Amino acid sequence: MKTLFITLLMVFVTTFAQSGVKPIRILVVTGGHAYKTEQFNQMLARLGPDITYEIAGFPKAFDMFLPENRDKYDVLVFYHMWQKITDAQEEVFAECISQGKPVVALHHSICAFDDWPEYWNIIGGKYCHKPTNIKGKEYQPCSYIHDVHFNVKVTEIEHPVTKGVSDFEIFDETYKGYYVEEGVTPLLTTEDPSSNSIIGWTKKYNKARIVVLQSGHDVPTFENPHFRKLLKQAVIFASTGK
Ligand SMILES: [Zn+2]
């Protein structure tokens, strides 16, 4: 028994020493939109030994915002398009992030919560499914186009999320007409006419760092090395600020 314990301890110490840091534990929140689970998980698994992941689907995932569960993960990664939420769930959700739980929001997660304006404030964006008034301005239903080859321009080359990433080409779904909050820091843009110009940004929501990446619909993006690098650096930045 003692030998086993020492062996386990040594394995732990070795693993810990190799990477030098405690892994960042991401909680990927899904639900409300289908996706290629296997390939998506492969992308998560390839983020490297310093990032571990767990998946939580709505509505069960609402429990993970409760104070007693917040120590179980370091960064929320949104890959959901959930709509239904109660007043009590809204309060706990917003408070969790406001108190500092960082968020990396991907792709269709900007289409979630059509009737909850505070969510739009959290991520600093909203794809509208219906005419929506946002801060006094009327937004019409947005549009999307699948399978577009387009160029992504890195606007902030010094930023921790984009460092080492040059402008690149991607094959993905584009969105057009969505709201982007004034004052966000744009990280990625495109000139493709089927898309909004700003397709990646970062902001703060009270104590929490937020990073939003519009791309991420399907396998070509999951396997795109530039996107993987952006996702990894977004998780590290959201968690550590570096
Ligand atoms: Zn999509």
Side-chain angles (χ1 to χ4, degrees), residues 17 34 45 77 97 100 107 119 121 123 137 143 149 151 159 167-169 172 190 192 199 204 212-213 221 233 237:
V77 172
I97 299 162
H107 193 56
Y119 181 75
N121 293 335
I123 64 172
K137 193 179 161 198
S143 58
H149 280 286
N151 291 307
H159 196 279
D167 297 355
F168 62 97
E169 198 181 300
D172 204 330
T190 183
D192 195 273
I199 55 168
K204 288 288 290 284
V212 180
L213 302 173
T221 299
Q233 292 184 168
F237 169 72

Side-chain angles (χ1 to χ4, degrees), residues 120-133:
W120 321 337
N121 293 335
I122 290 169
I123 64 172
K126 177 68 186 131
Y127 177 108
C128 304
H129 291 103
K130 57 185 179 186
T132 307
N133 191 291

